[in-house]
Amino acid sequence: MSLNTFGHVFRVTTWGESHGPALGAVVDGCPPGVPLAEADLQVWLDRRKPGQSRYVTQRREPDAVEILSGVFEGRSTGTPIQLLIRNADQRSKDYSEIAGKFRPGHADIAYWQKYGLRDYRGGGRSSARETAARVAAGGVARAALAELAPALSIQGYMVQIGPHPIDRGRFDAEEIARNPFWCPDAQAAEGWADYLDGLRKSGDSAGAMVEVVARGVPEGLGAPVYGKLDADLAAAMMSINAVKGVEIGEGMAAAALTGSANADEIFMGNDGRPAYASNHAGGILGGISTGQDVVVRFAVKPTSSILTPRRTITTAGEPAEIVTKGRHDPCVGIRAVPVGEAMMACVLLDHLLLDRAQTGGARGPIG
Amino acid sequence: MSLNTFGHVFRVTTWGESHGPALGAVVDGCPPGVPLAEADLQVWLDRRKPGQSRYVTQRREPDAVEILSGVFEGRSTGTPIQLLIRNADQRSKDYSEIAGKFRPGHADIAYWQKYGLRDYRGGGRSSARETAARVAAGGVARAALAELAPALSIQGYMVQIGPHPIDRGRFDAEEIARNPFWCPDAQAAEGWADYLDGLRKSGDSAGAMVEVVARGVPEGLGAPVYGKLDADLAAAMMSINAVKGVEIGEGMAAAALTGSANADEIFMGNDGRPAYASNHAGGILGGISTGQDVVVRFAVKPTSSILTPRRTITTAGEPAEIVTKGRHDPCVGIRAVPVGEAMMACVLLDHLLLDRAQTGGARGPIG
Amino acid sequence: MSLNTFGHVFRVTTWGESHGPALGAVVDGCPPGVPLAEADLQVWLDRRKPGQSRYVTQRREPDAVEILSGVFEGRSTGTPIQLLIRNADQRSKDYSEIAGKFRPGHADIAYWQKYGLRDYRGGGRSSARETAARVAAGGVARAALAELAPALSIQGYMVQIGPHPIDRGRFDAEEIARNPFWCPDAQAAEGWADYLDGLRKSGDSAGAMVEVVARGVPEGLGAPVYGKLDADLAAAMMSINAVKGVEIGEGMAAAALTGSANADEIFMGNDGRPAYASNHAGGILGGISTGQDVVVRFAVKPTSSILTPRRTITTAGEPAEIVTKGRHDPCVGIRAVPVGEAMMACVLLDHLLLDRAQTGGARGPIG
Amino acid sequence: MSLNTFGHVFRVTTWGESHGPALGAVVDGCPPGVPLAEADLQVWLDRRKPGQSRYVTQRREPDAVEILSGVFEGRSTGTPIQLLIRNADQRSKDYSEIAGKFRPGHADIAYWQKYGLRDYRGGGRSSARETAARVAAGGVARAALAELAPALSIQGYMVQIGPHPIDRGRFDAEEIARNPFWCPDAQAAEGWADYLDGLRKSGDSAGAMVEVVARGVPEGLGAPVYGKLDADLAAAMMSINAVKGVEIGEGMAAAALTGSANADEIFMGNDGRPAYASNHAGGILGGISTGQDVVVRFAVKPTSSILTPRRTITTAGEPAEIVTKGRHDPCVGIRAVPVGEAMMACVLLDHLLLDRAQTGGARGPIG
C-alpha cells in the first residue's frame, strides 16, 4: 500500500472526492482474458450505494460505473482498467459550518494540518464515497477470481451494531440479504432497527462490526514476513474509512486463550486434504493461507457528522460548537460490508497472482 | 510492505532463519548524519533477547548486533545499513518430531503447502527470532527520530496475559521495567507470574495483549487513503509473529459507541495548539496523525509449540500426535513488547520522511 | 516503475487505449497548494497533439484535458489528480488488415504473444496516444517544480532525423519553436523537411534523436544505487514508445574517451558554487545531480506502420504481406520531444521529493 | 528500482561499501526448490574479481561469497537469501588526498553535496565493489532460470575499448574467455592490450562498450508501459557504475534508419514459431520480449581515478590539483562485463515471474 495505490501485482489506485465531478479506480495487473462488463461491476456497486434505507445517507447517487479502458470485446486485455463513477447528487449547500470548523472525530482537522488546505465539500477525499471505487475494483477482482479460483466465495455481514451483537446460534446466511443491515440474525436485525431509529431521532450515530469470510481460498497465499496475507488484509481493512480495529480468526480474543485451546488440531479430510477441528487461526498460519476459511472482522466507529452539538474550534483557533446537518449515515458500518468484501477480493487475487509468480503453484504434497 | 521489505522511504528488509548462521536487516533510506553505534542498537536488543526470565524461551542468545555498512565515523551516511546478528545457540537436537509432523496452530503446514519444502529447524523463517532484526532496525529508526522529532517517545507494555487484564487504575509507568512482563500494574504482574507458572508446569502456553503508545508525534503523518498511518501500523503489527488482531485507539470497542460518545471534542491547549477532551481516535483521524498520542494494541496468540499432546498429521498424511519439546516461550507475547515498539518507531519515521517528501512540512495554521 | 505506474513518491499511473473512449493519468503524491488549472496543462498538450504539420499523424484530436480530482479552488490538495483526455477522432475504419496480421517492428505480435488477445484498434495500449497522458502529468510536475525549484527549466529539441544530425555550431534555442521539428538548427530543419517529404511520398518513415536538457537542477537529486537519477531517467525515456537507446551526457561516446579527457574539471564559480570546465557527465555523477545541466538523449526508431509492403505472418501463422494505411506519423520522434520533456519533469520532481524525504535538503557545504 | 533495491517480484537489495568489513545482497522472491550452493555463485564472482590481469585494479580480493539464509539442504526455501562477501584487502593508506578534494568525473562531490558527509575510503558506496553483490545475486537468478527457462543463456562481451571497436566479421564466441577483455575478436584484443598498456604508462584510463545477449528468452516478458522489459533493462544497466548510455538492438543508430529498413520481417520458422529476417529490435517490441535474442549494449566511461593531474577544488572550496594514486582499474569496463550479465539475469527472471503472475503463461497461439 502506497499513497493511493494498494496491491503487489494486482494494483488498485483510487482517486476522487465527494463533491468533484467523478471518482474512480485504475485497476492494473488484471489477468488478460477475464470476461468483464459494466453490468458485472454494477451488481456490487448497487449493494453499497446510498439511499437504500433510512439507516444510510439519503444522498441519491446511481453510482453507475463506466469502464473506460482495459476491456476489449468483453474481455480484459491485461492493460489498466479505468473505472469511472460520476457524482450525480452534489447538492448545493452551505458549507460555512464545516468549512471553518472541525468536526470532532472527523478527518477535517488532520487534512488541514497535513496539507494546509482542504476540500471541505462533503469531506473531500476523506469521504466514504471513495469506497465506491473500491467496490468497483473489487468487482474486477471477483471476475478474475471466478476464472482462477472458481471455488472461492466471499461473504460479508454485520455482527454487531452499537452494543448489540448477533447471536451466532441464530446465524442464517439466507437472512443477510433480507434486511438493510446485512445481518445474519433476523432477531438482531429487528433490535438494530429500533436502536438506530432511536439514535437518528436523537441526532446521534452508531458504530458497527463487520465480518468477512472467504471460503475455498487456495492454500499457500501470503508472502512472509512483510507481505503476509493477514498483514495485507489488516492494512486493507484498516484503510477503509472509520475502521479502528481488525481481527483475523480469534482476533483480540486470542490473548485470553491457552496454547492447547488455540491450536486447531489437524486431521485428514475425506477429500484427502488436511482438515481442522476448529478455526481459531482464521485460515492463516505464519501469514499464509491454509485452505481453511479466511475470517476477518473489523470495527467501524460511529459517524462523526452528527446533529448532537459538540465542542470544537474554528480554523482561527476560536472555541465553537458544531452541529453537522446534511445527509450522513446514521451507521456508516452498514455500507462498509460490501466494501470489506471488495477489499478481501482484491487482496486474495493479488496474493494468488503473487504466489504464482514466486512458486508457480509449487505445493508440498501431503498424504 | 512487500515480501520481506516494509516501508515507503525508510525501508527495512529482514532476512535469516532461526537456525542458520545469522540473521539481520538492511535498513535503507535512513537520513544521513544520524549518530549511530552498535551500542545504541544493543540496548534495544537486550530488552528482547531470550533467556532473561523463566517466562520466555531459555535459548541463550547474546543477540549482539554488528553494523556492517552505512555508518562512517559514527554517523549514518545515507546508504544501506546492514545489521547482522549471529545465531549462537543452535543447539544440536533431534528434529524428527517436527520435521515430519505439523504443529497445530503453527506455520509449519502453511510453509510446507506454499513452498513445497521448509527449513524445519526451529521454525526456520517463521521463527520469532526474525523479530530480533526488527528490533535492531527499530533502533536505527529511534536514532533518526531523536534527531528529527526529539520530543517523540515510544513506550510499549503488556495490558493482558491470558484472561487477566491489567487494572488501568493502577497504571504506573515506572513499574514497566521492574517486572519480567513489561507490566505497568504491579499487582497484575504478580498474578501473571502465578498464572504462567501454572501453565508452564502443565505444558501449556498463554496469549497476551500489548499496547504501544507514541507521544510527541508530529501532526500530519499519514498518506491517505492507502498509505494511511493506521493502515501501515496495522500491517506492521499484524506482521509480527502470532499477532491476530490490531486496534487503534478505541479499537474493536468503537463498534459499541455512539457518535457523540466517540467524538474527541477539540479545544485550544495552553500551548496554542489544538487539544482534545479524550483520545478515542488513538491519535489518528482519516489516516493522519493529529498530534495526540498514537495508541496501538495488538493480541498475540499463545505459543503453538507446547508440551500438551495435540492431534495432527504427518507430511505423509498419516494421523499422529505431537508434543513439542525444546526451548519455547510460555508466553511469546512478552518478547513482542519491544518488537511492537520497534515497528512503531519504523513506521513513524517512515511517515515522517514520506510527509516531508510530499508536503515539506506544509501545515495549516490554526489559531 | 511498475506495470503502469512510475515514480517513487510523485507517482504517475496512466491508462487508456488509442481507440477507447478516453485515456488519462492519475498523478499521486503531488505537493499540496500548487496552483493548477486545466489551461496550465493544455499548453503542454497542445505542443504534442497530432495534426499540427504534415510530418505527424493527421488524426484530429483536440487532446483537451479535464482535471477530475485533486484540485480545489485552483490549488492541488495533495490527493490524487485524475487527468482525463477524451478520444475524439476514432474514425471508423476497416481493421481487417492489422487485426489478423502483425506489423513488422510493431508491438502487435508481442502483445498477442503475451496476453493471448489484443485491442488491435490503432495499436490499443501500445499506441503513442498513451504519451498524451504523460504530457498532462508532466504539466502537473512542471507546476510543482515552479513552486519548489523556480530556477529549473526544461527544454527538449531534435538533434537528428534520419541520418541527418544538426550542426551544433548553428544551435539557436530561438529556432526550436519556429519549425515543425523542434529543431534548433534552421538549416537542418529545411533539410529534414525535404527528407521527410521524400519518405512520405515513398510510403516510408524516419527515425529521430531527441535531446532534453534541464537547467537549474538542484544538486543532490538521485538515490544511489538503484534509484540513481540517471537510472530513472533511462527507464523513463526508454519507456516512451519506439525509443531504443538512452544517453546521459557523453553517452555511448564515453566509450571512446580517456579518463583525462572525460573528467570535468572543477573550479569555484563566481556565484560561490562549484563550476565545471565541461559537462561530459551530463550533470550526474554517481547517480546524483551535481547542479550542472542534466542532459539526456534518446533515439526513436522509425514508425513501423508504413505503406511500404513488408513480409509478415497472420495470426494463423500463414505468410502474408502487409501495407499499413491510416494516419501514422512519418516521424514519430517529432511528437516525442514534448514527451521527453514531460518525463524529465516527472523524474526531477519525484527525485526532488525523494531527496527531501531522506536528507531534508542536508547539503555538504563547499567553500 | 527504489533506493538500493531493484526488481518487481524477484527483488535484490545490495548494501556495503568499498572499505567496510563486508558487502552483500539480500535476494528476495526467489522461487523455492532451486538447487543452490555457494560454489554455484562463486563461479560468477570469480569472473568479476579484481587482480586477474594488469588491466584491472590490483586490489586482491577473493570475493568469497557466503550464503547466510534462504537455502536449506541445498535448495532455496523461498525466503530471503543473504549473500555476504567480506572485504579482505582494505589496505591501510593515506586518504588525505581524496578526503579533502573531489576527483573530477567521480561521485565524490555529488555524495558530499547530497548527504553532507561521505565515506571517502575507496569511494564508499559509490565504489565499483558494490557490483560484486550484483554478480552474486545474478548467480541466484541464473540458478532459478536454469530451472524455469532451461533454454535461456546469457553472454556478455566487450565490443569496444577506447576508440577501438571490434570487427564483427571476426566475431568468435570461443575467443571471449581467452583474453583478459572478454573480447570476441582476437585481433582487436591484441590492439586493446597495446592501447591500455600505453594509457597505464601515461597514468590515464579508457572507456569501453559492453554487449550482453540473452538467447532462448521466452516470449511475452515485459509489462507495458512502465514495467517494459527494455525500460527495466535500461535502468538496470544505467545503474552500473560509470555507465552513460544504454541501447537495445539497433540502439541510437535507430535514429538513422527508415521504417522499411528497421522492420524485422516475420515468417514462420522451421520449429513452427515466428522467426525474423533480422533483429533491429533487439528482441523487444512494445516493451515485451518476442523470443528473439535480447541484445543490450552499454557504454562505460573511463575510470575517474587517474594519475594524470586534474584541476579541482577542496571541500573548503579552494582550487587544487589532484592525482589519484592507489589501485584503480585502467578500464573499469572490463569488469562490467560479468556485471552486465548479472543484471540481465536478474531482470529476465524478475520479468518471467511477473509475467506468470499476471498471465500465468497465457499465450496467443500463432499457427
Side-chain angles (χ1 to χ4, degrees), chain A residues 195-205 306-309, chain B residues 258 260:
Chain A
Y195 176 70
L196 288 178
D197 283 333
L199 285 176
R200 279 201 310 130
K201 278 168 201 156
S202 66
D204 213 333
S205 63
I306 52 178
L307 285 164
T308 308
Chain B
T258 60
S260 55

Coordinates of all heavy atoms in Angstrom, one line a residue, chain A residues 195-205 306-309, chain B residues 258 260:
Chain A
Y195 N -32.9 0.4 17.6 CA -31.7 1.1 18.2 C -31.3 2.3 17.3 O -31.2 3.4 17.7 CB -30.6 0.1 18.3 CG -29.3 0.8 18.8 CD1 -29.2 1.3 20.1 CD2 -28.2 0.9 18.0 CE1 -28.0 1.8 20.6 CE2 -27.0 1.5 18.4 CZ -26.9 2.0 19.7 OH -25.8 2.5 20.2
L196 N -31.3 2.0 16.0 CA -30.8 3.1 15.0 C -31.9 4.2 14.9 O -31.6 5.3 14.8 CB -30.5 2.5 13.7 CG -29.1 1.7 13.7 CD1 -28.9 1.1 12.3 CD2 -28.0 2.6 14.1
D197 N -33.2 3.7 14.9 CA -34.2 4.7 14.8 C -34.1 5.7 16.0 O -34.3 6.9 15.8 CB -35.6 4.1 14.8 CG -35.9 3.5 13.4 OD1 -35.4 4.0 12.4 OD2 -36.7 2.5 13.3
G198 N -33.9 5.1 17.2 CA -33.7 6.0 18.3 C -32.5 6.9 18.2 O -32.7 8.1 18.5
L199 N -31.4 6.5 17.7 CA -30.3 7.3 17.5 C -30.5 8.4 16.5 O -30.1 9.6 16.7 CB -29.0 6.5 17.1 CG -28.4 5.7 18.2 CD1 -27.2 4.8 17.6 CD2 -27.8 6.5 19.3
R200 N -31.2 8.0 15.4 CA -31.4 9.0 14.4 C -32.3 10.2 14.9 O -32.0 11.3 14.7 CB -32.2 8.4 13.2 CG -31.3 7.6 12.2 CD -32.0 7.5 10.9 NE -33.3 7.0 11.0 CZ -34.4 7.5 10.5 NH1 -34.3 8.6 9.7 NH2 -35.6 6.9 10.6
K201 N -33.3 9.8 15.7 CA -34.1 10.8 16.3 C -33.4 11.7 17.2 O -33.6 12.9 17.3 CB -35.3 10.2 17.0 CG -36.4 9.8 16.0 CD -37.5 8.9 16.7 CE -38.2 8.1 15.6 NZ -38.8 6.9 16.1
S202 N -32.4 11.2 17.9 CA -31.7 12.0 18.9 C -30.5 12.7 18.2 O -29.7 13.3 18.9 CB -31.2 11.1 20.1 OG -30.3 10.2 19.6
G203 N -30.3 12.5 16.9 CA -29.2 13.1 16.2 C -27.9 12.5 16.5 O -26.9 13.2 16.5
D204 N -27.9 11.2 16.7 CA -26.6 10.6 17.0 C -26.3 9.5 16.0 O -27.1 9.3 15.0 CB -26.7 10.0 18.4 CG -25.4 10.0 19.2 OD1 -24.3 10.0 18.5 OD2 -25.4 10.1 20.4
S205 N -25.3 8.7 16.2 CA -24.9 7.7 15.2 C -24.3 6.5 16.0 O -24.1 6.6 17.2 CB -23.9 8.2 14.2 OG -22.7 8.6 14.9
I306 N -22.7 14.4 13.1 CA -23.9 14.2 13.8 C -24.6 15.5 14.2 O -24.0 16.6 14.2 CB -23.7 13.4 15.1 CG1 -22.6 14.0 16.0 CG2 -23.3 12.0 14.8 CD1 -22.3 13.3 17.3
L307 N -25.9 15.4 14.5 CA -26.7 16.6 14.9 C -26.5 17.0 16.3 O -26.8 18.1 16.7 CB -28.2 16.3 14.6 CG -28.5 16.4 13.1 CD1 -29.9 15.7 12.8 CD2 -28.5 17.8 12.6
T308 N -26.0 16.1 17.1 CA -25.7 16.4 18.5 C -24.6 17.4 18.6 O -23.5 17.3 18.0 CB -25.2 15.1 19.3 OG1 -26.2 14.1 19.0 CG2 -25.1 15.4 20.7
P309 N -24.8 18.5 19.3 CA -23.8 19.6 19.3 C -22.6 19.1 20.0 O -22.6 18.4 21.1 CB -24.5 20.7 20.1 CG -26.0 20.4 20.2 CD -26.0 18.9 20.0
Chain B
T258 N -21.6 5.4 20.5 CA -22.3 6.3 19.7 C -21.4 7.4 19.2 O -20.3 7.6 19.8 CB -23.4 7.0 20.5 OG1 -22.8 7.7 21.6 CG2 -24.4 6.0 21.1
S260 N -21.7 10.6 19.5 CA -21.5 11.6 20.5 C -20.5 11.2 21.5 O -19.7 12.0 22.0 CB -22.8 12.1 21.1 OG -23.4 10.9 21.7

